[in-house]
Amino acid sequence: MGYARACSVALVGVEGVVVEVQADLEPGVAAFTLVGLPDKSLIESRDRVRAAVVNSGAEWPQKKLTVGLSPASVPKSGSGFDLAVACAVLGAAERLDPAAIADVVMIGELGLDGRVRPVRGVLPAVLAAAEAGYQQVVVPEQTAGEAALVPGISVLGVRSLRQLIAILCDEPVPDEPVDDQGRPDAMLAGLMVPGTGLGAGLAPASSRGEGHTPDLADVAGQPRPRKALEVAAAGGHHLLFSGPPGAGKTMLAERLSAVLPPLTRQESLEVTAVHSVAGILPPGEPLVSRAPYCAPHHSATMQSLVGGGNGMPRPGAVSLAHRGVLFLDEAPEFSGKALDALRQPLESGHVVVARAAGVVRLPARFLMVLAANPCPCGRHSLTGAGCECPPSVVRRYQARLSGPLLDRVDLRVEVEPVDRADLLEQGGRGESTAVVAARVREARARAAERLAGTPWTTNSEVPGHELRTRLLAAPGALAVAERDLERGILTARGLDRVLRVAWTVADLRGAPRPEDRDIAVALELRTGIQRGAPMEMGAL
C-alpha cells in the first residue's frame, strides 16, 4: 500500500483554506475515486490528471486509487487542484519522494499534454498558504510574479509536470518549447473570464481610446462639481451628481479615479486578490497600483452588484471597486432592490453574502458616485426646455433613490448646463488632474498624520463619537449645523457626515481644525441649500 500527500488551496470568496490532498493506493481493480466535496470541474480532474501523468513520461499506477481532499466539509471548486493531485498520486506510486511534497503547496491546472496552465486567484491562495505557515509554493510560470508578491514564501514557477518531476527528483530539467508564432498565449486564457474586459465597465470609457488619458482639464466650466469631486477624493466621501443630460456628470465621474492617490502596498494586495479571483487581472500586471473604477450598467441585478452567482458567491461590482470608484450612471434606473443592497457595504466597508453553499465575506470599501437626471426626460430643471413630465412622474422618478441611501451620500451637487463661454474655452481651462491630485495627496497626508495610531486613514471612516469628543471643531462652528439638526434638515448620521466633510475641507485649506466657513461648505455640499460659502476653484 502506498500513501502520499500534497497541499493546495480552496478559495471561499477571496479567502483561502489550505487543503490537504491525500492519495492512497491499494491492491484491487484499477479505479480512481475522488472524495472531499468536489464540484463538477474538480471531478473531471481525474481524466486530466491521468492523461497528464502518462504524457509526461510517468507510469500510471494500475491499482485502486483513492484521492481525498481534507477538510472534507469545505466546498472545493475549480481546476487548481490538478497539480497537487498529480504529485500526490506520483508520491503514492513512489515516483516522487513523499517527504519532498508533503509540505509544498501546489496550485495549477494540468493540460492533457502535461503543461501547467494558470488559474485565477493565485494571490489570495498564496496569502492563505503563508498565513497557515507554509514556506514553499509551486504555481504556473505565468503567475509566478503574482505569487511572489507575498513576502516570506519561496515561489517555484513551472511550465509543465515534467519539469516539476525533474526538479523534485534532482534530475535534469527538460526545456519546454514556447509558442512564439505571434498569436496570443493560449495558456493565459484561464486567467480572464470572458466578457470582463473594458466593455464590462471596468475602466473609464474615455480611457479606452489610444493615445488619450482622461484629464479634469477636459471638463468645461463646472467649478462647484469640480470642487465637490476634489473633496470626495480627499476624504473618501460618497457623491451624487444631479442635472440635465450633457452637463458633464459622467465626464467628472470618469476622472475621479485618476485624482485618487496611488494605493498603498496593503491596499494593492487587497485589490489584486479580488481582481485575481474575479478573473479581471490583466496578464503581465500582477499588482494593481491605481484605484480601480467600476461602472455597471443600470440593468445590473442585485447579485451582480453585491456578489452572488451559482454555488459559492463570487465578487460583485462593489468588490471590484474596492479601494476605488463605483460609478452608477442613471442611478434612478437601477432597481430599488439593487440600490438598497448597497446600504450595508456603504457603512461597513464589506458585504456578507449568504447562499446555500456557504457564507462569504467580501471586501467593499469604495467611493460611490451617483449620477441622476431630474426627471425621465431630463429637462425638468431647464428653463424653457419643454419638459412634459407630470409632477407625479417627477416625484416618483426622484423617489427611486431612497432616503436611507441618500442619507449615506455626503455630497449632493447640482450640475448646471455648460454655457457658451466655458464650452468654447473663453473662460479659460480648468485645473488639470495632476494639480488637483497633488492637493488631494497633501490633504490625505494631513488626515493620516492626525489619525495616526487609529484604525482609520480617511475622514469618511472616522466614527461620529470621535468627531464629537476628540476631534473637535472650532468653538461655535457647529451652530448652524445644530440648528439644521433641530429643524429636521439633518439627521444624526447627517450631522456626523457634515463633520467629516468639514474636516476634509479644512485639510484642503491646510487648517488645523474646521471653522465656521468649513462647516458652511460641508452643509452646502450636503443639503444643496445656498449658504454663501466660497466654492470657486482655489477658494479653499
Side-chain angles (χ1 to χ4, degrees):
M1 181 181 69
Y3 172 83
R5 63 184 177 90
C7 295
S8 190
V9 178
L11 290 177
V12 182
V14 294
E15 299 176 356
V17 178
V18 177
V19 173
E20 191 175 88
V21 181
Q22 305 167 345
D24 177 72
L25 286 174
E26 296 179 357
V29 178
F32 189 171
T33 304
L34 184 63
V35 297
L37 210 59
D39 72 341
K40 180 66 175 177
S41 61
L42 187 50
I43 292 176
E44 293 174 349
S45 69
R46 297 179 299 183
D47 300 320
R48 290 195 302 269
V49 169
R50 181 187 293 110
V53 169
V54 173
N55 290 328
S56 297
E59 183 179 352
W60 184 260
Q62 299 299 318
K63 296 181 180 180
K64 181 181 178 181
L65 172 62
T66 303
V67 174
L69 308 176
S70 179
S73 58
V74 176
K76 304 165 188 72
S77 62
S79 56
F81 295 88
D82 290 1
L83 196 58
V85 170
C87 289
V89 171
L90 293 175
E94 299 182 352
R95 176 63 177 89
L96 298 176
D97 182 8
I101 62 174
D103 295 323
V104 179
V105 176
M106 302 180 182
I107 305 166
E109 175 187 335
L110 286 176
L112 299 184
D113 57 352
R115 289 184 299 171
V116 180
R117 304 178 64 93
V119 293
R120 301 189 299 272
V122 167
L123 178 59
V126 177
L127 283 170
E131 292 175 358
Y134 290 88
Q135 298 179 347
Q136 293 180 318
V137 62
V138 179
V139 298
E141 186 180 56
Q142 291 87 347
T143 57
E146 182 181 345
L149 297 174
V150 181
I153 195 164
S154 175
V155 178
L156 173 62
V158 294
R159 194 176 300 169
S160 67
L161 182 60
R162 286 182 291 270
Q163 288 185 340
L164 181 57
I165 294 174
I167 293 173
L168 293 175
C169 296
D170 291 330
E171 299 174 355
V173 180
D175 292 330
E176 295 292 341
V178 180
D179 185 8
D180 55 354
Q181 302 298 323
R183 298 186 298 267
D185 190 355
M187 298 287 283
L188 299 176
L191 295 177
M192 298 290 290
V193 175
T196 56
L198 295 176
L202 298 171
S206 52
S207 68
R208 298 168 198 168
E210 297 181 359
H212 176 69
T213 302
D215 196 288
L216 269 176
D218 301 333
V219 181
Q222 307 295 1
R224 187 179 298 269
R226 289 170 63 99
K227 182 52 63 179
L229 198 76
E230 181 177 341
V231 173
H237 306 288
H238 306 303
L239 178 61
L240 167 64
F241 285 137
S242 58
K249 303 186 295 294
T250 303
M251 285 187 67
L252 287 163
E254 288 179 344
R255 283 148 179 79
L256 178 55
S257 59
V259 177
L260 295 174
L263 301 177
T264 64
R265 176 74 177 185
Q266 180 61 32
E267 292 172 346
S268 295
L269 290 177
E270 294 174 6
V271 174
T272 303
V274 175
H275 288 199
S276 178
V277 170
I280 62 174
L281 192 64
E285 298 181 17
L287 186 66
V288 179
S289 59
R290 297 295 306 175
Y293 172 93
C294 186
H297 192 258
H298 62 258
S299 61
T301 62
M302 184 185 71
Q303 289 77 13
S304 66
L305 280 181
V306 301
N310 296 328
M312 191 61 65
R314 301 186 63 82
V318 296
S319 297
L320 300 182
H322 181 58
R323 302 294 181 183
V325 177
L326 176 66
F327 177 47
L328 302 183
D329 199 5
E330 305 293 345
E333 300 294 341
F334 283 80
S335 69
K337 186 178 180 181
L339 289 176
D340 288 338
L342 299 176
R343 298 184 195 176
Q344 179 200 5
L346 287 176
E347 286 290 331
S348 61
H350 64 268
V351 59
V352 178
V353 183
R355 295 290 185 270
V359 179
V360 173
R361 185 179 186 271
L362 300 170
R365 187 170 296 281
F366 55 89
L367 197 164
M368 182 180 69
V369 181
L370 303 175
N373 294 326
C375 67
C377 74
R379 300 190 297 270
H380 178 68
S381 60
L382 299 178
T383 303
C387 174
E388 298 179 355
C389 299
S392 59
V393 173
V394 175
R395 285 196 300 270
R396 282 198 301 269
Y397 185 81
Q398 296 177 353
R400 292 181 182 179
L401 299 179
S402 65
L405 177 65
L406 290 180
D407 199 33
R408 291 166 169 83
V409 178
D410 302 335
L411 313 173
R412 307 172 191 175
V413 182
E414 185 74 24
V415 183
E416 301 291 342
V418 183
D419 56 26
R420 180 172 57 87
D422 290 331
L423 188 60
L424 300 179
E425 297 186 5
Q426 296 175 2
R429 289 168 59 88
E431 291 179 318
S432 66
T433 298
V435 175
V436 177
R439 284 202 300 267
V440 169
R441 287 195 297 268
E442 293 175 1
R444 288 220 176 188
R446 295 187 187 98
E449 182 179 358
R450 180 175 62 253
L451 299 174
T454 68
W456 316 296
T457 56
T458 59
N459 293 323
S460 62
E461 303 172 4
V462 182
H465 176 73
E466 291 288 324
L467 295 171
R468 294 188 297 269
T469 57
R470 190 171 68 88
L471 302 175
L472 299 176
L478 286 175
V480 179
E482 291 171 354
R483 285 198 299 268
D484 286 356
L485 179 64
E486 294 175 354
R487 295 170 181 171
I489 301 176
L490 285 179
T491 63
R493 180 194 286 125
L495 179 60
D496 290 343
R497 292 185 175 273
V498 166
L499 287 174
R500 294 169 186 167
V501 175
W503 271 106
T504 302
V505 176
D507 288 336
L508 288 170
R509 289 198 305 114
R513 59 178 178 175
E515 301 174 357
D516 52 355
R517 61 182 293 187
D518 302 320
I519 299 295
V521 170
L523 283 170
E524 185 170 330
L525 288 174
R526 177 169 181 83
T527 63
I529 301 174
Q530 301 293 331
R531 302 172 188 268
M535 292 293 295
E536 290 79 11
M537 296 303 299
L540 298 184

